[in-house]
Amino acid sequence: KQEVTQIPAALSVPEGENLVLNCSFTDSAIYNLQWFRQDPGKGLTSLLLIQSSQREQTSGRLNASLDKSSGRSTLYIAASQPGDSATYLCAAGSGAGGTSYGKLTFGQGTILTVHP
Amino acid sequence: DAGITQSPRYKITETGRQVTLMCHQTWSHSYMFWYRQDLGHGLRLIYYSAAADITDKGEVPDGYVVSRSKTENFPLTLESATRSQTSVYFCASSATGTREQYFGPGTRLTVT
């Protein structure tokens, strides 16, 4: 059974800092890994999707990397801003084939606070 | 509006009542999912569907029923609601190719 762990559980940083959020998964036979952002009381917004054949993806100030062999992914946020404050979730997508296609297993999330 | 919508956004019901949560997507995505989010448990998969008339259980399916007669709709029914089903429910969909999942805004359900 896939298990996903996110470290740290919470992070508070001053504005402008570069930061790294960590995600680890136990079963390396993933199809993809997806990073989400969730604001309080809101739904999930997809930030980055890394397919299993890729090593990293970038979108603006965000960069996500994937190392399947070690079961790790990191989300790097450059020059953090107060608007980045939210919960960040990573989710591992199950492999191809059969009815397990595309199922996501989520970590517990990292609560990020960026203060001015 | 394009995208994925859920209704109702908030629902209060009594123990033992049947309640149906609706999910609609306009992308014609093949795959649709239902998750629940609870403090201490995170997001857990309830049911998912690969196409119309094809559904399968996720991690926590007990007490729930789904159907998918049309590609764009994926309702979730609580046959006899219990207090333990108080939660926030999210619907999601994904295309066959990328499998990137897109989430709806959620339904906050309270069972009294």
Side-chain angles (χ1 to χ4, degrees):
Chain A
K1 177 186 174 185
Q2 178 74 274
E3 293 183 0
V4 178
T5 303
Q6 291 187 246
I7 294 173
L11 184 62
S12 181
V13 300
E15 182 177 4
E17 273 205 8
N18 301 324
L19 53 98
V20 175
L21 308 182
N22 296 292
C23 172
S24 62
F25 46 94
T26 55
D27 184 353
S28 63
I30 62 170
Y31 189 85
N32 58 27
L33 191 129
Q34 199 166 348
W35 281 93
F36 295 89
R37 168 187 173 135
Q38 186 175 29
D39 293 289
K42 303 292 186 182
L44 279 70
T45 300
S46 180
L47 296 174
L48 289 165
L49 172 73
I50 311 176
Q51 303 292 353
S52 61
S53 59
Q54 298 174 322
R55 297 284 294 185
E56 65 178 330
Q57 282 287 332
T58 298
S59 176
R61 295 182 293 108
L62 305 180
N63 175 277
S65 65
L66 174 64
D67 184 343
K68 277 184 59 178
S69 61
S70 66
R72 297 186 182 195
S73 177
T74 60
L75 178 66
Y76 176 82
I77 302 177
S80 59
Q81 303 170 357
D84 294 331
S85 298
T87 297
Y88 290 80
L89 296 157
C90 74
S94 61
T99 57
S100 65
Y101 191 103
K103 290 166 58 177
L104 290 179
T105 302
F106 282 83
Q108 294 284 335
T110 294
I111 301 171
L112 173 65
T113 303
V114 181
H115 47 88
Chain B
D1 289 338
I4 184 165
T5 57
Q6 294 183 236
S7 61
R9 294 294 314 280
Y10 303 91
K11 177 75 175 178
I12 299 174
T13 191
E14 295 176 343
T15 300
R17 299 261 190 177
Q18 182 181 82
V19 60
T20 296
L21 309 184
M22 304 301 293
C23 178
H24 175 78
Q25 53 103 357
T26 60
W27 295 304
S28 299
H29 283 167
S30 296
Y31 286 81
M32 295 188 74
F33 308 83
W34 275 106
Y35 297 89
R36 60 178 290 175
Q37 186 174 36
D38 306 285
L39 280 174
H41 291 282
L43 277 143
R44 292 177 291 175
L45 182 65
I46 305 171
Y47 267 97
Y48 63 106
S49 169
D53 297 323
I54 301 176
T55 62
D56 205 353
K57 296 178 180 179
E59 184 182 354
V60 288
D62 293 343
Y64 303 95
V65 174
V66 294
S67 62
R68 193 158 177 216
S69 56
K70 293 184 177 181
T71 300
E72 61 267 30
N73 297 323
F74 191 37
L76 176 74
T77 297
L78 288 66
E79 293 186 298
S80 179
T82 65
R83 289 194 182 89
S84 65
Q85 292 177 309
T86 292
S87 185
V88 180
Y89 291 85
F90 289 102
C91 178
S93 70
S94 70
T96 305
T98 66
R99 302 186 203 173
E100 182 171 8
Q101 289 196 21
Y102 298 92
F103 280 70
T107 294
R108 185 173 295 275
L109 176 68
T110 301
V111 183
T112 62

